[in-house]
Amino acid sequence: MTAKTTLERDYFETLYDRADDPWSFASSAYEREKYDRSLAALSRRYERALEIGCSIGVFTERLAKHCGELIAIDISERAVRRARLRCADQPNVRIVRASFPRQSPPAKFDLITCCEVGYYWSDADLASARDRIATSLAPDGELLLVHFLPHVDDYVREGDAVHEAFLSDRRFAQLDHFRADRYRLDVLTLR
């Protein structure tokens, strides 16, 4: 069996070409409930946060209210443009096109969110993402992981495998866990 490679920018640009909101982030009751649960899992206000994979900024817009500064990144230029429009009235939000883990802001964060993106990465990129997150997370910082659980043919791995890759890394300790029918949420911190 050949190892799958990371889904690259063209894959996502094609999705955003076909639909402004390919996963219905703005209109789905499922997404709204997942965002509510994710925000409820956060323990405090965060001075500096990084959102990996912001898409069109629906979660970004809500997360920003919990952050002094929020840097949101996405691989798709089309998604970034839409996210910038959605969050234009929030001066504490900066949205950047970047391909994580190869590109990442050189800073320490007291919150990093890695939601609905880990299953797009190859084994090597997932390992690199874990390393990048571990070195970018402040000592008392938190990592929010949220991933869809059902199998998707295009994806490199399933959501559970992303979470288990982080949980099996001795640098991280679990603070919180929630499992719904279609998604999983874990909050981790550095040991």
Side-chain angles (χ1 to χ4, degrees):
M1 179 175 155
T2 305
K4 288 188 171 184
T5 59
T6 294
L7 296 179
E8 297 293 344
R9 182 177 174 189
D10 289 347
Y11 175 87
F12 298 98
E13 297 297 4
T14 299
L15 289 173
Y16 289 107
D17 262 350
R18 292 181 189 151
D20 285 347
D21 185 1
W23 291 279
S24 303
F25 292 134
S27 60
S28 163
Y30 161 78
E31 294 295 340
R32 192 169 35 260
E33 186 278 328
K34 186 178 65 176
Y35 294 156
D36 290 346
R37 174 70 68 170
S38 297
L39 293 170
L42 301 179
S43 68
R44 62 184 190 268
R45 180 167 172 78
Y46 303 89
E47 288 310 308
R48 176 178 280 164
L50 172 65
E51 180 187 12
I52 302 167
C54 68
S55 185
I56 62 170
V58 176
F59 184 62
T60 311
E61 185 177 36
R62 295 185 62 188
L63 179 61
K65 294 173 177 75
H66 300 269
C67 305
E69 175 189 5
L70 173 59
I71 300 172
I73 62 175
D74 199 275
I75 194 171
S76 166
E77 184 60 42
R78 287 174 179 85
V80 163
R81 281 196 303 264
R82 291 178 185 129
R84 285 178 179 152
L85 288 172
R86 179 178 298 281
C87 298
D89 65 341
Q90 294 179 296
N92 64 323
V93 176
R94 184 164 51 104
I95 300 170
V96 178
R97 198 202 71 73
S99 179
F100 192 88
R102 289 174 235 142
Q103 301 166 316
S104 178
K108 289 285 187 183
F109 299 94
D110 52 351
L111 174 66
I112 298 176
T113 69
C114 180
C115 302
E116 311 290 358
V117 294
Y119 32 57
Y120 301 134
W121 295 324
S122 67
D123 292 346
D125 281 343
L126 179 59
S128 178
R130 273 194 332 253
D131 290 344
R132 180 69 64 124
I133 289 168
T135 59
S136 298
L137 201 60
D140 64 342
E142 296 176 6
L143 168 63
L144 173 67
L145 295 171
V146 182
H147 287 84
F148 185 68
L149 295 175
H151 174 79
V152 178
D153 286 339
D154 285 354
Y155 297 176
V156 176
R157 68 186 39 80
E158 293 180 359
D160 274 326
V162 175
H163 290 240
E164 294 308 319
F166 278 89
L167 289 167
S168 67
D169 187 316
R170 297 180 57 83
R171 293 175 289 185
F172 296 99
Q174 187 178 52
L175 296 175
D176 196 4
H177 170 76
F178 176 78
R179 186 179 190 88
D181 288 340
R182 297 173 57 204
Y183 72 91
R184 174 179 180 170
L185 179 154
D186 286 287
V187 179
L188 310 180
T189 192
L190 295 173
R191 289 187 191 276

